[in-house]
Amino acid sequence: MMRRPSLVNLTLALILICGVIGFAIAVPARAATSSGNDRALKQFIQKRFHIADLKDIALSRPTPSPIAGLLTRTLTVNTARGTVKATMFTNPSGDKVIIGEYLDLNSDPWGRVNLSKLHLSDRATQGPADAPVTIVEFADFECPFCARAFSQIETLVNDKYKGKVKLIFKNFPLTMHPWARPAAIAAECIRRQNPADFWEFAQVLYTGQASI
């Protein structure tokens, strides 16, 4: 019986180990012309990465990739600890596969996001305006994960990387949280009266989530 790998190990196996370009998997040629080509590919991947159940592996439909002569597919593997996805490139016959990462050298090599379409003015901010790094935080005051991240981000901005990072806070209340929107409105009202008080009020909201 094959042992089910952890999500971390599977992620490394599917993505990190393939490096910058990726690696090729040669599926038996006889599978290329059969109606069970996808099944043969799944079986190969199952054995290659020691996946316990073939049903945990899913393949999207092939679509044209940015690289001439190659098709692209999404490989999805469900594990006990979550879902792992990886991009695959195949030849037209489907008997050669590359699992890796497509890199466009015309894109930003740092992976920076174009912020020109985001409305970032007139928002709660911390850190110098000319900081070399900008963090845009989308947060929900009723979200426990936002509460956990809040103090960590504040520490980065005001302590560890003080003067080097600018933080911009954007309210993002989720409809599933009943008091998140009223809290965002109250926080915005406070910010407009006294921007410095916004951060103290945000801390109060996050600290008092259970009682609110």
Side-chain angles (χ1 to χ4, degrees), residues 159-177:
D159 185 10
K160 187 173 183 179
Y161 298 108
K162 187 174 183 178
K164 299 179 180 179
V165 178
K166 176 184 178 182
L167 171 64
I168 301 176
F169 186 98
K170 287 181 70 71
N171 284 298
F172 193 73
L174 301 175
T175 55
M176 61 185 289
H177 291 153

Side-chain angles (χ1 to χ4, degrees), residues 71-86:
L71 302 175
T72 184
R73 308 184 72 172
T74 299
L75 167 65
T76 304
V77 180
N78 295 312
T79 76
R81 297 189 178 183
T83 300
V84 176
K85 292 188 176 182

Side-chain angles (χ1 to χ4, degrees), residues 38 41 44 48-49 60-61 63 77 111 160 168 178 187 193 197:
D38 276 8
L41 177 54
F44 193 101
R48 176 84 179 195
F49 299 111
S60 67
R61 291 180 176 273
T63 58
V77 180
K160 187 173 183 179
I168 301 176
Q193 295 178 63
D197 288 343

